[in-house]
């Protein structure tokens, strides 16, 4: 299986899923990465704030940063080739790149209750 390298923007932690204002795209991507790794995909995430030399030492990423600045991030490389720039991929995209069958995430159960009011019960 190919190796996926994710060059993340500067995040407060390795996944960015921390703090009081969490970006939903990061939460979704973290779940998708967990799904990928559970299926044997090798994923390496690199954080600009914590591993700047990795960004400088990867010519494809360095070129994107020089041309587009931080707007280029994240940059995703699959076996050394640029697959996506400037946004996180969907689970469907990740599955296609990895040769896995796409499985939609389970919907979250609603905490709302349905109340049915009958017209017959009105006074």
């Amino acid at each position: 299986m190919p190796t996926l390298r994710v060059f993340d923007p500067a995040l407060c932690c390795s996944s960015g899923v921390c703090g009081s204002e969490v970006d939903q795209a990061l939460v979704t991507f973290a779940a998708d990465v967990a799904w990928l790794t559970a299926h044997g995909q090798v994923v390496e995430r690199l954080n600009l704030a914590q591993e700047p030399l990795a960004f400088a030492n990867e010519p494809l990423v360095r070129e994107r940063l020089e041309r587009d600045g931080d707007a280029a991030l994240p940059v995703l490389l699959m076996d050394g080739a640029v697959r996506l720039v400037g946004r996180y991929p969907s689970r469907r995209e990740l599955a296609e790149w990895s040769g896995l069958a796409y499985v939609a995430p389970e919907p979250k159960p609603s905490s709302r209750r349905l109340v049915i009011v009958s017209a017959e019960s009105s006074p």
Side-chain angles (χ1 to χ4, degrees), residues 11 16 18-20 23 27 29 32 36-38 46 52 56 58 61 67 71-72 74 82 89 92 96 99 114:
L11 302 171
C18 55
S20 60
D23 182 348
V27 173
F29 187 65
D32 292 343
L36 272 179
T37 58
L46 302 146
E58 177 54 62
V61 174
R67 185 176 62 220
V82 175
R92 181 182 303 274
E96 288 172 7
L114 179 60

Side-chain angles (χ1 to χ4, degrees), residues 4-9 23 25-26 28-29 32 45 64 68-77 82-94 96-97:
L4 176 64
R5 295 182 79 202
V6 181
F7 291 83
D8 285 304
D23 182 348
L26 291 171
T28 300
F29 187 65
D32 292 343
R45 288 189 76 176
R64 296 289 179 146
D68 302 325
D70 288 346
L73 299 175
V75 175
L76 286 89
L77 304 180
V82 175
R83 293 303 298 224
L84 193 61
V85 176
R87 69 172 176 84
Y88 289 99
S90 67
R91 184 174 291 195
R92 181 182 303 274
E93 290 170 311
L94 291 169
E96 288 172 7
W97 301 345

